């Protein structure tokens, strides 16, 4: 009989990074316009999200018409309960 490792309860309960995908704008919009849209939507999201302290969420922004990656917004909640985000445009395919 082959070796079998039973999963530990901690392995199942360990929180993984949350991910959300949003289609916004068009490939015909200027990059500055798309950047503003992503910034505005991230501001809107941090007002309604419920994350635990130290938890992180990634929001992937795509153009709505032809899916091209615009950016990834990394939203975190610090120990004092404040939500913040950082937009990362380094992976953009536009």
């Amino acid at each position: 009989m082959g070796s079998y490792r039973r999963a530990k309860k901690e392995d199942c309960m360990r929180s993984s990074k949350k991910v959300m995908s949003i289609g916004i704008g068009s490939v015909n919009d200027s990059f500055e316009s798309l950047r503003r849209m992503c910034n505005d939507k991230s501001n809107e999201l941090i007002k309604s999200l419920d994350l635990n302290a130290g938890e992180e969420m990634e929001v992937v922004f795509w153009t709505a018409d032809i899916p091209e990656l615009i950016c990834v917004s990394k939203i975190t909640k610090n120990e004092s309960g404040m939500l913040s985000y950082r937009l990362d445009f380094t992976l953009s395919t536009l």
Side-chain angles (χ1 to χ4, degrees):
M1 186 164 211
S3 65
Y4 174 80
R5 184 179 81 80
R6 176 174 238 165
K8 295 179 184 176
K9 185 176 181 181
E10 305 86 59
D11 293 339
C12 297
M13 295 178 68
R14 189 174 299 141
S15 66
S16 61
K17 193 181 303 182
K18 295 180 180 181
V19 178
M20 180 187 293
S21 183
I22 296 177
I24 196 167
S26 164
V27 292
N28 297 322
D29 293 328
S30 71
F31 194 71
E32 276 306 311
S33 177
L34 292 169
R35 182 174 249 188
R36 260 191 314 279
M37 286 184 223
C38 294
N39 189 47
D40 292 345
K41 188 64 176 177
S42 293
N43 273 322
E44 192 180 304
L45 285 171
I46 63 171
K47 294 175 185 171
S48 62
L49 283 176
D50 184 27
L51 298 176
N52 296 321
E55 198 171 18
E56 182 177 295
M57 178 176 203
E58 285 189 351
V59 181
V60 182
F61 288 100
W62 303 89
T63 51
D65 53 355
I66 301 169
E68 292 286 344
L69 178 63
I70 303 168
C71 72
V72 177
S73 179
K74 296 182 182 187
I75 302 172
T76 57
K77 186 173 191 176
N78 64 18
E79 300 304 321
S80 63
M82 179 115 167
L83 283 169
S84 63
Y85 68 91
R86 181 173 42 90
L87 296 175
D88 181 5
F89 293 92
T90 60
L91 299 174
S92 177
T93 58
L94 291 171

